[in-house]
């Protein structure tokens, strides 16, 4: 039983050892470098970093991004089904009906987002 987990244990041990050695070398070699205020300041494309770091965005951008991710992930779920479509439908039409229901829920969600104005950039 222990023999089965030995390679996993060695892999974890090597990964932790690599991380520890890399961080230790970074700290040791980083202390020996000459430091000054110019090197320690943030580099922002040649401009002085003045003001807020990030501009404020409307919530609309985040909403559209979330909708994109949601619908993009749903396409990932549809792809394996489309690859096996012939075999699935030849055995039973249940796969077709279930995917039609899934696509129906997606269509309903898309229409709901449109009605709520989630994709309207004018407002």
């Amino acid at each position: 039983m222990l023999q089965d987990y030995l390679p996993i244990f060695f892999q974890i041990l090597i990964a932790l050892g690599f991380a520890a050695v890399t961080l230790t070398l970074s700290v040791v070699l980083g202390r020996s470098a000459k430091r000054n205020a110019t090197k320690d300041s943030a580099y922002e494309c040649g401009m002085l970093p003045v003001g807020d770091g990030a501009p404020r965005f409307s919530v609309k951008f985040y909403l559209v991004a979330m909708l994109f991710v949601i619908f993009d992930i749903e396409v990932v779920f549809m792809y394996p089904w489309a690859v096996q479509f012939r075999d699935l439908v030849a055995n039973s039409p249940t796969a077709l009906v279930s995917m039609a229901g899934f696509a129906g829920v997606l269509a309903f969600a898309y229409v709901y987002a449109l009605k709520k104005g989630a994709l309207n950039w004018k407002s």
Side-chain angles (χ1 to χ4, degrees), residues 51-123:
D52 291 336
R56 294 181 57 92
F57 290 106
S58 172
V59 175
K60 187 74 75 178
F61 290 108
Y62 299 110
L63 183 62
V64 169
M66 285 189 294
L67 287 172
F68 172 75
V69 168
I70 289 169
F71 285 108
D72 192 44
I73 296 298
E74 303 308 332
V75 170
V76 170
F77 286 133
M78 286 181 175
Y79 185 74
W81 175 83
V83 170
Q84 295 293 321
F85 178 72
R86 282 192 188 140
D87 296 335
L88 291 172
V89 174
N91 293 336
S92 170
T94 307
L96 180 62
V97 172
S98 64
M99 187 52 71
F102 182 68
V105 169
L106 281 179
F108 178 76
Y110 182 69
V111 169
Y112 178 78
L114 281 176
K115 294 284 184 186
K116 283 292 201 176
L119 302 175
N120 187 8
W121 290 99
K122 302 285 184 196
S123 59

Side-chain angles (χ1 to χ4, degrees), residues 7-21:
I8 296 172
F9 175 71
F10 281 138
Q11 186 175 6
I12 291 172
L13 192 66
I14 289 171
L16 290 175
F18 177 76
V21 168

